[in-house]
Amino acid sequence: MLRYLPFLLLLALTIYAFIDCLNTPEEEVKHLPKGVWVLIILLFSIVGPVVWLSAGKQRTQVGGGSRGVGGGRARRGQWVAPDDNPEFLKSLDQDQDKGDGKGKGNGNGNGNGNGSDEPDKGEPGKGDQA
């Protein structure tokens, strides 16, 4: 089983570099056209992916900085997770303020609309069971 590991690692590296090359915008590809890079990655199994990963595209530094002129991906705007995005959290607060008392229950989270924090006792599995 261990004898297949080098082949699988080489295959994984080639697939990763191939997909990375295809997903890279044309303006971020360095030195050669994108089609030539794809051929290099596929034809030269060890050297092609390594050269692509080391010199084939403009890389941005961790933390949003950039090495190349133009900024690479950083100039298109950093993606922020919704729970870390203050604008998204503010819009949730506004939606919650608008939605208070408008058919969404009483805002206590259980959604039964009975006006209390108690679970609805009319449904089986909720509240006191008989």
Side-chain angles (χ1 to χ4, degrees):
M1 183 72 171
L2 199 55
R3 62 182 166 196
Y4 298 117
L5 186 62
F7 173 74
L8 292 175
L9 289 175
L10 178 63
L11 183 64
L13 177 68
T14 303
I15 290 172
Y16 176 80
F18 177 69
I19 292 173
D20 187 46
C21 182
L22 291 179
N23 288 333
T24 301
E26 191 72 40
E27 62 269 5
E28 291 182 17
V29 177
K30 295 188 328 186
H31 307 298
L32 296 170
K34 188 191 257 190
V36 175
W37 276 115
V38 169
L39 289 175
I40 289 172
I41 290 169
L42 294 177
L43 293 178
F44 303 104
S45 61
I46 296 174
V47 177
V50 171
V51 171
W52 164 255
L53 293 173
S54 63
K57 85 179 208 181
Q58 295 174 355
R59 305 270 179 204
T60 58
Q61 296 175 353
V62 176
S66 64
R67 278 197 256 168
V69 176
R73 294 185 192 271
R75 72 182 139 90
R76 285 188 257 151
Q78 276 309 98
W79 181 82
V80 179
D83 58 343
D84 292 336
N85 187 342
E87 293 174 16
F88 176 75
L89 295 174
K90 206 178 295 183
S91 72
L92 285 179
D93 288 339
Q94 291 171 354
D95 289 346
Q96 187 177 12
D97 291 342
K98 289 178 188 175
D100 283 347
K102 291 187 179 178
K104 291 185 178 181
N106 61 351
N108 64 7
N110 64 8
N112 63 12
N114 66 4
S116 69
D117 290 336
E118 297 289 323
D120 190 3
K121 293 183 170 87
E123 293 181 30
K126 293 186 176 181
D128 296 331
Q129 294 181 359

